[in-house]
Amino acid sequence: MRTLVTKLLAMTVAALLYFGSNDAVHAQDSTAPAAVDRTATGGAQTLEDILRRQRGEAVPLDSGTGGAEGGDASGPLGSQGGLSDSELWRRARQGQTFTTSLPDKKAAVLVDDSGEQWLKTRSGALPTYSLYAMGGMIALLFLFLILRGRIRINAGWSDIKIERFSFIERFGHWLLATSFIILAITGLTLLFGREYLVPALDWAHAKMNPDATDPNFGKNIFAWFAVAGKWLHNNISWAFMISLVLIFVMWFFRNIPTWTDIKWLAQGGGMFSKNSHPHARKFNGGQKVLFWSVIIFGASISASGISLLQPYEYNMFSATFDKLNQAGDAIGYPLGLETAITPMQEMQYSQLWHTIISIVLIVIVIAHIYIGSVGMQGAFSAMGSGKVDLNWAREHHDLWVAKLEKQGKIPRPGGASNPQTRPMPMRAPKKPPTVPAE
Ligand code: HEM
């Protein structure tokens, strides 16, 4: 028994010493690597460098200009063609941009390993957080629907319709909406395809055909999706950009923010209580947030998309970082952003930015689609027929209705007629009267 206890104690002490010595190694790892004497190789790597790398230890970079790999190699007929500049090759390996007279500027970078980090983000964090963001918004809307229910017209239908959006406004909206939805679906297919769609297709295939043995089923189907999706994505993008310009021109003045909008937003648009309706003009605070999000994010998505469509043509990110650095310096807050970006990194930044901002806009648009359809009674017809119920308009856009009334464009309730409109009929008309918008 005593020998067993002695053995256990000895093993414990040995284990502690072992881990202690390991800690010591790790502690050493975290400090700067000890210098290596490379005079024997004229600055090129030594056997010690190779052994350190094999042990997984850090190898100090040569801060000198490098040197010949062995004296004999430096002659005109030397084995390395004269000189082997180790420092030069190390810089090349680390993505340094050299100079080139070729029109293809990316030829100035011999080895660019920044793609490793980009790929990790593009296939890891990006799809993961995108799923959280979109799933989170859908869950919130579902919760809102359960807790608050559909936002109904408190006063009920009035049977009087007033014009809210003209044909050209609705055309602009639906061109924007359909192109955006197609771009979102095809873009998400490309983002999630390999990680999620391929395994999902394989799983569905195996469920439906238990005897099937095609290991590439998912990949083959996804290849078709990807080719068709990319074609659609590239070509539909022009419709999106045109509609963006169209709605900007049509709705810019109506979306200039006012104090009424701040108050509307401060009250949450009255959406969380059944009888509260903060004042609003034709567009309320929430709609103005949507409008400016669509314009600003839509323009940014378009710019990064064009840079992806025409690779290596633009230096958007280095130019933007330069401007940000200048702005930071001007206000005494230097940002020190890297402006020497390789053409390949420009493309990587464009891809990441394009996706991140698209996901932000998709999340906002999911909320908009909910409110414009199932979430609010009477809203959809504004973009459907172009007309809305008078009571709906009074509750959600009272200042706009008041202006129309002042202009004599709305029949007064109770049968009294407005000088510029026909008298209200005594019975509810079969076909509700329509009055033009302001
Ligand atoms: C099926 C999808 C959609 C539905 C049902 C829908 C519905 C609506 C409705 C009913 C309105 C008028 C609201 C009002 O009268 O006050 C509206 C306006 C608007 N929609 Fe959509 N929409 C959809 C998709 C989109 C998409 C994808 C975008 C942008 C990418 C978008 C951008 C806008 C903008 C900027 C406005 C004007 C501001 C506003 O009224 O909120 N819509 N939409």
Side-chain angles (χ1 to χ4, degrees):
M1 180 68 185
R2 196 183 293 166
T3 44
L4 184 67
V5 172
T6 322
K7 270 186 186 165
L8 278 174
L9 268 174
M11 277 162 68
T12 314
V13 172
L16 281 174
L17 282 174
Y18 174 75
F19 287 120
S21 65
N22 246 8
D23 282 351
V25 170
H26 290 148
Q28 212 177 15
D29 284 352
S30 65
T31 60
V36 175
D37 178 9
R38 299 197 182 102
T39 44
T41 59
Q45 71 172 334
T46 62
L47 179 63
E48 176 59 16
D49 286 326
I50 297 168
L51 290 174
R52 278 189 188 194
R53 238 177 249 123
Q54 283 177 354
R55 291 196 296 264
E57 295 171 11
V59 177
L61 284 181
D62 187 352
S63 56
T65 55
E69 186 126 31
D72 292 348
S74 62
L77 299 175
S79 59
Q80 300 294 323
L83 287 175
S84 170
D85 191 336
S86 58
E87 181 63 9
L88 175 83
W89 292 112
R90 198 168 291 126
R91 283 205 218 118
R93 166 70 187 80
Q94 288 166 0
Q96 163 134 5
T97 310
F98 297 94
T99 45
T100 177
S101 54
L102 292 172
D104 181 4
K105 292 299 165 216
K106 65 182 182 305
V109 182
L110 295 178
V111 182
D112 192 341
D113 60 1
S114 60
E116 292 293 323
Q117 188 51 44
W118 166 78
L119 187 62
K120 260 190 205 161
T121 316
R122 191 248 172 257
S123 324
L126 203 55
T128 309
Y129 287 112
S130 301
L131 266 186
Y132 289 162
M134 292 184 297
M137 178 50 94
I138 292 170
L140 273 179
L141 292 172
F142 198 63
L143 200 69
F144 183 71
L145 181 63
I146 291 171
L147 296 179
R148 167 71 170 85
R150 207 173 177 216
I151 301 171
R152 295 190 177 276
I153 305 172
N154 285 349
W157 299 101
S158 74
D159 278 342
I160 298 172
K161 302 277 178 219
I162 57 172
E163 188 177 316
R164 184 148 169 80
F165 292 113
S166 64
F167 173 77
I168 184 74
E169 285 177 303
R170 281 178 285 141
F171 172 78
H173 173 267
W174 287 118
L175 186 63
L176 179 82
T178 41
S179 58
F180 184 82
I181 291 170
I182 295 172
L183 289 170
I185 292 172
T186 50
L188 292 176
T189 309
L190 296 176
L191 178 66
F192 293 117
R194 273 196 203 154
E195 280 77 19
Y196 297 92
L197 209 58
V198 171
L201 285 165
D202 280 334
W203 178 83
H205 183 58
K207 280 270 160 212
M208 283 188 273
N209 309 289
D211 303 330
T213 50
D214 182 3
N216 290 324
F217 177 82
K219 282 185 188 155
N220 288 337
I221 301 286
F222 172 63
W224 281 103
F225 270 124
V227 170
K230 192 176 171 297
W231 186 88
L232 273 175
H233 201 84
N234 290 354
N235 291 292
I236 299 280
S237 60
W238 302 106
F240 176 73
M241 287 185 254
I242 291 169
S243 57
L244 208 58
V245 175
L246 206 60
I247 67 150
F248 179 75
V249 173
M250 288 187 307
W251 293 337
F252 169 77
F253 285 110
R254 288 184 177 281
N255 278 285
I256 295 172
T258 63
W259 271 113
T260 314
D261 305 321
I262 309 275
K263 286 187 215 151
W264 189 96
L265 289 170
Q267 293 177 53
M271 277 195 238
F272 300 96
S273 71
K274 294 206 166 152
N275 293 311
S276 150
H277 291 294
H279 296 304
R281 293 167 205 252
K282 180 148 181 177
F283 289 119
N284 60 40
Q287 289 174 302
K288 289 185 185 179
V289 170
L290 172 78
F291 176 80
W292 287 112
S293 304
V294 171
I295 295 297
I296 293 168
F297 295 147
S300 191
I301 294 167
S302 306
S304 47
I306 288 174
S307 125
L308 291 171
L309 268 181
Q310 299 178 327
Y312 311 113
E313 289 293 321
Y314 310 98
N315 291 330
M316 272 183 205
F317 282 89
S318 56
T320 308
F321 290 167
D322 189 39
K323 294 252 159 21
L324 287 175
N325 280 344
Q326 284 174 23
D329 291 346
I331 57 167
Y333 191 79
L335 294 171
L337 297 171
E338 180 61 86
T339 52
I341 297 173
T342 65
M344 202 56 107
Q345 283 171 310
E346 276 283 346
M347 299 312 298
Q348 291 159 8
Y349 279 126
S350 292
Q351 189 278 330
L352 293 179
W353 183 257
H354 189 74
T355 311
I356 293 168
I357 302 300
S358 301
I359 295 292
V360 171
L361 193 53
I362 288 173
V363 169
I364 296 172
V365 164
I366 290 175
H368 166 70
I369 293 177
Y370 168 78
I371 286 291
S373 55
V374 285
M376 182 184 276
Q377 186 182 33
F380 184 82
S381 63
M383 279 301 168
S385 62
K387 300 176 183 82
V388 287
D389 187 88
L390 182 59
N391 282 350
W392 177 90
R394 275 194 210 292
E395 287 176 16
H396 298 293
H397 300 275
D398 57 341
L399 301 178
W400 173 61
V401 174
K403 197 172 164 193
L404 290 184
E405 267 170 346
K406 223 171 157 187
Q407 292 169 346
K409 291 179 178 169
I410 292 187
R412 286 191 187 141
S417 67
N418 186 304
Q420 290 176 35
T421 52
R422 279 187 287 128
M424 285 267 288
M426 295 305 286
R427 280 183 299 125
K430 273 195 186 128
K431 190 170 178 292
T434 301
V435 286
E438 54 183 306

